[in-house]
Structures are given as structure tokens and as C-alpha cells.
Amino acid sequence: MQNAFKFSDAEKPMASPKIEYDLPTDPQDWNGLVLVGEAPGAEEVRLGHPFVGRSGQLLDKMLEKAGIHRKQCVVANVFRFQPPGNKVDHFFISRRAASTQQIGIAEEYSAFSGKFVRVEFAGEITHLRETLIKLKKQNPKMVIMALGRTPLWALTGENELLKKVGKILPCSLLPDTKVIPTFHPSFILRGNWKLQDEWLRTFLSALQL
């Protein structure tokens, strides 16, 4: 999909390519749903789109089951770069380690599992916020689905995903915007197949908002 929406881009790059958000070719086709994951993996980097590896294939099947057309959704990740070893913890650091290594941390954002986002990657949260602001102007009824613990943190400032799956939470990046936390497809792929029905219900609930 081509980027029909126009967004600024001034974030600091990593060694891996930057994988931009997938946006409907025609803004009029957008269904108002924003799917936000964690960070791209190797297959996403290879193909240049978010959620196109095994996790993306499972996500596509679940969306189809829920009656959601992926090409009508905005599909994104909190971080547009693949972290080393696919470990999102790369983007965060403890306050003590940051002090020892003289690494800046963005304390304006809440802690993620006891760690803070590194200043060099905080621009990714800014980019996400700016994108959501522009999307909200396109559709004031926009609903965001946080796929995994990283987007839950980025979008709401909260942790403990498993206690919040399916709940409607306020977005900390954008007032009057609803966020529904749900499982990341990789979590289902790691043997949690029994949670598929609950996973499906979160997508169906998003359609009702």
C-alpha cells in the first residue's frame, strides 16, 4: 500500500531500515481502525511492510475471521526499526544503567517494565503521536488496537497487558481516543492457541465502538 496520508519524518535512524506504517491508498477507504504492534522483524525488513511475517499471517487470518479488511486499516509499530535479536528491550534501559553508561532517557514517558525509553528512540513515540493526531482529523471515531505489551505502554502509559486485554482504555498520546489492548500474534504463536477466541472478541469489540 502506498502512503496517501502525508506525515513528517525527522527521527534518528538505526542500522536497520525504517519500516513505515501501512496506510490505505485512498484515505476514504480507511475504516477508522489503527493496529499498532511492537517493532518489525526480519521478514518485515525484507519486504518493507509491518506484520508480513508469521505473526502478520496469523493476524490476517484473525482479521478476516472478524470481518475486518486489513487494507482498510492503518497498520503500524511503535518502533519502525528492527531491534537486535528482535528484542524490544533494546529500546529501553534502566535508570541506573543509563546513569552508568551516560545514556539519556526520556522520563516524560512512563516506565516500561521498570525501564525507560532511550532518548535516541523517543522520537518514535513522537512520530506515532503526530500520526495519530493527523489520523484523528480524518476520522474522529478512530479506535486503536494495541497488539502487545509495548504498544499498550506507548499508547496508554500502562503495563501488565494480560490484565487489560479487551478493556477500553484512554490513549495517553491523544485525548478522547480509545485503545483496546490485545495479544500480539507472536504470543498466540508461542503455544497460546487457547486464547484465540478471546483474541477474536477483542477485534469484534473494536468494530462496535
Side-chain angles (χ1 to χ4, degrees):
M1 286 182 285
Q2 298 298 314
N3 188 341
F5 301 88
K6 297 184 182 301
F7 301 112
S8 62
D9 182 21
E11 287 72 41
K12 180 179 178 180
M14 288 181 63
S16 69
K18 185 184 295 180
I19 307 306
E20 298 293 352
Y21 308 157
D22 266 354
L23 304 161
T25 302
D26 184 349
Q28 298 302 318
D29 291 337
W30 180 39
N31 59 14
L33 194 59
V34 182
L35 311 177
V36 183
E38 299 183 331
E43 195 67 5
E44 284 75 18
V45 169
R46 186 178 75 83
L47 296 175
H49 294 278
F51 281 110
V52 291
R54 288 185 64 219
S55 290
Q57 292 167 15
L58 181 60
L59 175 62
D60 288 350
K61 291 180 180 178
M62 185 55 65
L63 291 174
E64 182 178 359
K65 195 170 184 179
I68 298 171
H69 298 285
R70 171 173 170 151
K71 289 187 177 181
Q72 294 180 344
C73 301
V74 172
V75 185
N77 280 305
V78 174
F79 299 102
R80 290 171 292 165
F81 305 98
Q82 180 187 13
N86 290 334
K87 302 296 185 182
V88 293
D89 285 348
H90 171 76
F91 301 114
F92 303 89
I93 191 170
S94 68
R95 184 180 280 110
R96 175 178 293 181
S99 176
T100 301
Q101 301 175 39
Q102 296 186 332
I103 294 175
I105 56 177
E107 294 190 76
E108 63 268 29
Y109 299 111
S110 63
F112 174 72
S113 299
K115 297 181 179 180
F116 293 87
V117 66
R118 298 170 183 245
V119 164
E120 61 185 303
F121 304 124
E124 292 297 287
I125 312 301
T126 301
H127 179 75
L128 178 59
R129 177 194 288 116
E130 292 175 349
T131 300
L132 293 175
I133 290 172
K134 293 177 181 179
L135 289 171
K136 182 96 171 179
K137 293 178 181 178
Q138 295 281 340
N139 188 336
K141 295 183 179 180
M142 175 179 74
V143 175
I144 310 171
M145 296 203 68
L147 279 66
R149 63 192 186 106
T150 307
L152 169 65
W153 161 81
L155 292 162
T156 70
E158 299 192 27
N159 291 283
E160 298 185 312
L161 172 68
L162 297 182
K163 294 181 179 180
K164 298 178 174 68
V165 167
K167 295 183 178 180
I168 300 174
L169 302 176
C171 181
S172 60
L173 298 181
L174 187 61
D176 301 318
T177 303
K178 297 174 180 177
V179 176
I180 299 180
T182 192
F183 307 112
H184 191 283
S186 65
F187 180 73
I188 303 295
L189 286 170
R190 290 197 295 271
N192 294 295
W193 299 104
K194 63 182 180 180
L195 296 174
Q196 286 189 95
D197 287 343
E198 183 179 359
W199 196 31
L200 173 61
R201 286 195 293 272
T202 62
F203 288 100
L204 293 174
S205 67
L207 294 177
Q208 298 171 2
L209 296 179

